[in-house]
Amino acid sequence: MPDTPAAPVIVADRPGTFPYGVLAERHPAIVRQVAEDTPYGPDRRRALDALRTDCTEGVITPLPDDAHDHDRWAAWGMHAHAGRSWHDVPWLWSESWFYRQLLQATGYFEPGPWQGVDPFRPAKLAELDAPATDDELAALDALEDLPEDERARALLHGSLWGNRADLGFRMSAEGAEEQAAVPALVADDSDRLWSLLDGSPPGTLCLVADNAGRELVPDLLLIAHLLAHGRVARAQLHVKPHPYYVSDATTADVLDTVRRLTAAKGAAGAYGQGLRAALTDGRLELRAHPFSCAPLPYADMPDDLRADFAAATVTVLKGDLNYRRLVGDRHWPATTPFADVTACFPGPVAALRTLKSEVITGLDPRTETTLDADEGGRWRTGGTHALIQVRT
C-alpha cells in the first residue's frame, strides 16, 4: 500500500465495542434462531448448544482431521489460532470461524440427512416471499417511463441500499441530499463508476454479491439492466459456495431470486426472463470460489480469483463484509485514501456499501468531523449511511 502504514487489525477483545458485541451477543442469538427455524434432532441441537457456549467462553479448536476443508482452514490460520479465545484473534477471522463451526454443528458438510441443508434458508425465503417484496417489485413499473440513464441510476442506488431504500426506486426530494449537513451517502464516486461502465466496446462486470433475499433482488435487477441496454457485454456474479454470514447469497439463492422475479408481473417479470436468458446463454455467469468464505482480506486472494477480477472492466463489491476484506479489517483513520488501501486489487474496483461496521476509508476530513459531531460513532455501524467508492 503506497506510503500508507498498516493500521492495527481489529480484534473483538474489548467489552463495549461493536466487534465484542457481535461475538458476545449476536452470534449466540444467531445460534438460537437457527435452532428455532429448523427442527434439528437431538444430536444437532446438542451441537448447537455447545457452539453457543463455545463461541463466547471457549477457545479455537481445530476442525476434525477428516473435515473436507481441514487443509484449507489450516492454510488460513486455524492451527496458528488454536487454543486462543475467540475474542483474541482478528475479528474477521473469528466471525468467519463462527459460521464454519455453525455449519459443522448443523451437519451441513457431513454425509447424512442434513448435508447441504442451508440453516439460514427459512429466513431467506421468508424475506424473499414476503408481501413487501411484491410491493417493491411492483414499483419497477414506475421506472419504465424514465430515461434509461435515470433508470440505471435508480437501480444502482437500489443495489447500494437494498431493501432499506425500497429497492432504491424512491428518488430523493429536490436537493434534499445536497442540503443536508452530511448526506446519507458519505462518499459518492458514482460518476466514475458510470464512466467505467459506459466504455466502448462494452466490457465485463464482476459483481461480488452480499446478501440474499430482498437485497439480492436489486443486485440482479442492476445486472439485468446493464446487460439489456448494452452497458456491459457480460457479467460475472460471485456468490458464496456455501451458507455464510446468515444471509450471504449462494447459487441456490440466486435461483430462488430469479424464480421470484420471473413469476412476478410487469417489469419485474421481464427482468426475470432476461436474467434467465442471460444465465442460459452465458452472458451472466456464476462464480462460487472457496476464497469467498475465507477469513482473510482480498490482498491474500489466490491467483485464479485474481485473474477473474483482473480481466473485468470493473469489479463491484457489495456490502460491509466485502468492504472489510477489500480495504483490510483494520482501525484505519477515516481519511486514509481509498486508492491506497485498494492498490493491491487487480483492476478497477468499486465498493457499494451500507455502513454496518467500524471500518471506513476515503472520507474527507470535514465529512468525518461533521458525522462525529452529529452522531458520535453511531454513523459507522447503524446502516443509516452508505458510500460508493471507486478506484480506477
Side-chain angles (χ1 to χ4, degrees):
M1 297 176 184
D3 302 322
T4 304
V9 172
I10 294 177
V11 179
D13 59 348
R14 289 191 297 117
T17 63
F18 182 77
Y20 188 95
V22 170
L23 265 62
E25 300 169 13
R26 183 182 298 178
H27 285 179
I30 289 169
V31 176
R32 285 193 294 271
Q33 189 63 53
V34 165
E36 290 175 9
D37 286 346
T38 302
Y40 292 108
D43 289 348
R44 295 298 166 205
R45 302 187 86 79
R46 281 192 290 271
L48 287 168
D49 288 342
L51 175 60
R52 191 168 63 245
T53 300
D54 190 49
C55 70
T56 56
E57 302 173 12
V59 297
I60 304 296
T61 303
L63 294 169
D65 290 343
D66 60 354
H68 80 284
D69 52 353
H70 177 278
D71 292 347
R72 185 178 296 146
W73 273 94
W76 290 344
M78 176 176 66
H79 294 300
H81 295 318
R84 302 175 66 189
S85 166
W86 294 51
H87 290 277
D88 291 337
V89 302
W91 182 40
L92 177 63
W93 201 96
S94 59
E95 275 198 291
S96 296
W97 182 248
F98 167 77
Y99 289 103
R100 175 59 184 87
Q101 292 297 92
L102 181 61
L103 295 183
Q104 187 77 12
T106 60
Y108 182 87
F109 293 117
E110 299 176 21
W114 297 106
Q115 186 175 32
V117 176
D118 184 348
F120 309 123
R121 184 168 173 77
K124 291 175 178 178
L125 288 180
E127 180 180 299
L128 185 62
D129 292 332
T133 306
D134 289 320
D135 297 336
E136 292 180 348
L137 293 180
L140 273 169
D141 294 338
L143 290 182
E144 292 302 289
D145 294 331
L146 294 177
E148 187 276 330
D149 61 337
E150 290 187 29
R151 270 183 287 161
R153 176 177 177 269
L155 290 167
L156 176 67
H157 281 261
S159 180
L160 171 66
W161 288 104
N163 59 12
R164 181 181 177 274
D166 298 329
L167 295 181
F169 302 146
R170 299 175 305 176
M171 307 302 282
S172 45
E174 285 290 327
E177 276 290 292
E178 290 77 7
Q179 293 169 11
V182 176
L185 202 56
V186 300
D188 185 5
D189 293 340
S190 53
D191 287 345
R192 192 177 300 172
L193 177 58
W194 289 123
S195 71
L196 290 169
L197 293 172
D198 288 337
S200 181
T204 297
L205 166 70
C206 277
L207 192 148
V208 183
D210 184 31
N211 292 331
R214 285 163 59 197
E215 293 190 37
L216 183 59
V217 169
D219 295 344
L220 289 174
L221 293 174
L222 177 63
I223 289 173
H225 182 90
L226 295 175
L227 287 170
H229 291 272
R231 288 183 179 244
V232 298
R234 55 190 300 271
Q236 280 185 4
L237 179 62
H238 288 250
V239 296
K240 301 300 190 294
H242 55 72
Y244 192 59
Y245 275 69
V246 181
S247 57
D248 280 23
T250 65
T251 298
D253 299 319
V254 174
L255 298 180
D256 285 338
T257 307
V258 172
R259 168 194 59 80
R260 184 72 161 92
L261 289 168
T262 304
K265 297 178 181 179
Y271 276 112
Q273 293 291 349
L275 287 163
R276 186 179 178 88
L279 284 164
T280 302
D281 64 28
R283 286 175 296 129
L284 173 55
E285 187 175 10
L286 300 183
R287 289 280 201 272
H289 197 285
F291 189 78
S292 296
C293 295
L296 303 172
Y298 281 111
D300 297 334
M301 77 179 84
D303 290 341
D304 59 338
L305 184 59
R306 184 174 292 274
D308 269 352
F309 295 148
T313 304
V314 61
T315 298
V316 175
L317 282 83
K318 283 293 310 297
D320 202 76
L321 174 60
N322 280 322
Y323 189 88
R324 292 164 58 194
R325 297 185 69 195
L326 174 63
V327 305
D329 203 35
R330 297 173 175 269
H331 291 287
W332 296 112
T335 55
T336 303
F338 179 73
D340 286 2
V341 295
T342 58
C344 61
F345 199 86
V349 62
L352 269 63
R353 174 215 183 188
T354 305
L355 276 57
K356 297 178 182 176
S357 68
E358 295 176 332
V359 177
I360 191 167
T361 65
L363 292 194
D364 66 70
R366 179 181 175 184
T367 297
E368 181 191 17
T369 299
T370 305
L371 285 166
D372 284 339
D374 288 352
E375 304 182 35
R378 295 186 303 277
W379 62 272
R380 292 175 177 259
T381 59
T384 56
H385 293 82
L387 57 79
I388 301 173
Q389 291 177 321
V390 178
R391 193 220 72 214
T392 56

